[in-house]
Amino acid sequence: MLLSLRGVRRAYRGDAAPFALEVPAFDLAEGEVLALAGPSGSGKSTLLMMLALAAPPDAAERFDFAGQDIARHWKLGRGDALADLRARRIGVVPQTGGLLPFLTVEANIGLTQRIAGRTDADRVRLLAEELGIAAQLRKRPAELSVGQRQRAAIARALAHRPALVLADEPTASVHPELADAVLTLLKRECAAAGAALLVATHDPARAERLGYPVLACRTHAPGADGIARSVFERV
Ligand code: ADP
Ligand code: ADP
């Protein structure tokens, strides 16, 4: 298993709207693809932040990723080990691309390689060709179309050969016609790279139509304790 979680929980206290995300059991195999579906506020981003090793759970019986005991790293406060693992093994596609405006598209795609400490210009060019943005490599992000920018973000998320790609609503900023293309390219490129893929979406019908298995969360209105709960479970 690439990812194996048991008894994981993360809560936001806050007086106004206490919220808890619960993951009783969740496994994801190497190279596996999955769409995480849930309405806005159901905890999709919270889950992806935890899986990106960027936000610690409040409780975790087990949190294994890429053969490492992440729960233990957190317990011992090994932020450096987590950052290193994130840099080498995880790729992220943000909602609106998140390209750095002052760098060329080529440098943007190569950023994940530089952070992971292994540059590979051939791979940057190959990904750009596969994603149809080879002619844009010398340009700045502002000179690209919205769809081209999102394709560059996909290339960047894969350039350092991660084992897991996380995409949080990657079609939020593109036209509906382009949303299909983004999700299709994302799945195709992750498969080609052998990377597992988790896409958070509030549009499970689209993901399903494009061949993504869908995992929907269960949401529970606040109970006697006043805490709204969202449960993601799958083994
Ligand atoms: P989604 O990505 O599905 O829209 P989120 O994970 O962003 O859901 O949010 C889940 C719930 O947690 C929401 O009720 C949100 O208001 C709350 N929440 C998210 N981040 C924080 C935070 N930093 N502090 C307090 N509450 C938060
Ligand atoms: P926009 O200008 O509206 O942002 P794009 O620049 O993303 O749109 O391009 C529009 C269309 O071109 C999309 O539907 C996209 O699927 C398609 N496209 C371009 N290159 C490729 C490619 N290499 N593989 C798949 N589709 C591509």
Side-chain angles (χ1 to χ4, degrees):
M1 267 322 137
L2 177 66
L3 199 55
S4 185
L5 277 61
R6 295 292 180 277
V8 169
R9 185 173 200 272
R10 183 175 162 90
Y12 297 115
R13 276 155 256 287
D15 301 335
F19 170 84
L21 168 73
E22 292 174 5
V23 189
F26 181 87
D27 285 351
L28 191 75
E30 282 79 6
E32 200 177 350
V33 171
L34 188 66
L36 294 170
S40 179
S42 62
K44 302 183 299 295
S45 301
T46 299
L47 180 58
L48 288 194
M49 290 280 284
M50 267 200 299
L51 297 180
L53 315 183
D58 299 305
E61 280 163 38
R62 185 201 300 170
F63 195 129
D64 293 345
F65 170 65
Q68 299 226 24
D69 185 346
I70 304 300
R72 187 174 158 78
H73 283 338
W74 267 314
K75 211 168 292 164
L76 300 177
R78 288 194 185 135
D80 288 359
L82 291 169
D84 180 64
L85 200 55
R86 183 187 317 128
R88 288 186 300 105
R89 310 307 303 275
I90 296 174
V92 172
V93 181
Q95 252 182 37
T96 54
L99 302 177
L100 299 181
F102 48 85
L103 294 181
T104 62
V105 171
E106 187 170 27
N108 266 287
I109 296 173
L111 262 184
T112 52
Q113 294 180 346
R114 290 181 59 185
I115 293 167
R118 50 175 177 205
T119 52
D120 181 349
D122 289 343
R123 179 161 173 80
V124 170
R125 268 190 299 276
L126 178 73
L127 282 166
E129 277 162 25
E130 286 176 0
L131 287 158
I133 48 172
Q136 276 68 44
L137 283 174
R138 303 276 166 202
K139 297 181 182 168
R140 313 273 154 178
E143 300 171 74
L144 270 54
S145 72
V146 170
Q148 286 171 338
R149 283 203 287 271
Q150 209 56 349
R151 283 185 263 141
I154 293 172
R156 184 183 54 180
L158 283 163
H160 59 311
R161 300 185 183 280
L164 174 66
V165 172
L166 302 169
D168 192 354
E169 305 271 7
T171 60
S173 66
V174 303
H175 311 296
E177 322 85 75
L178 273 178
D180 278 14
V182 168
L183 287 180
T184 300
L185 290 172
L186 189 54
K187 188 151 76 68
R188 187 187 80 191
E189 291 305 311
C190 286
L197 170 63
L198 274 180
V199 178
T201 179
H202 61 264
D203 188 357
R206 179 187 303 276
E208 197 154 33
R209 179 163 52 72
L210 299 173
Y212 282 79
V214 174
L215 172 67
C217 74
R218 282 178 285 139
T219 53
H220 305 272
D225 56 5
I227 301 173
R229 289 163 56 238
S230 191
V231 181
F232 283 91
E233 182 162 33
R234 166 188 193 260
V235 187

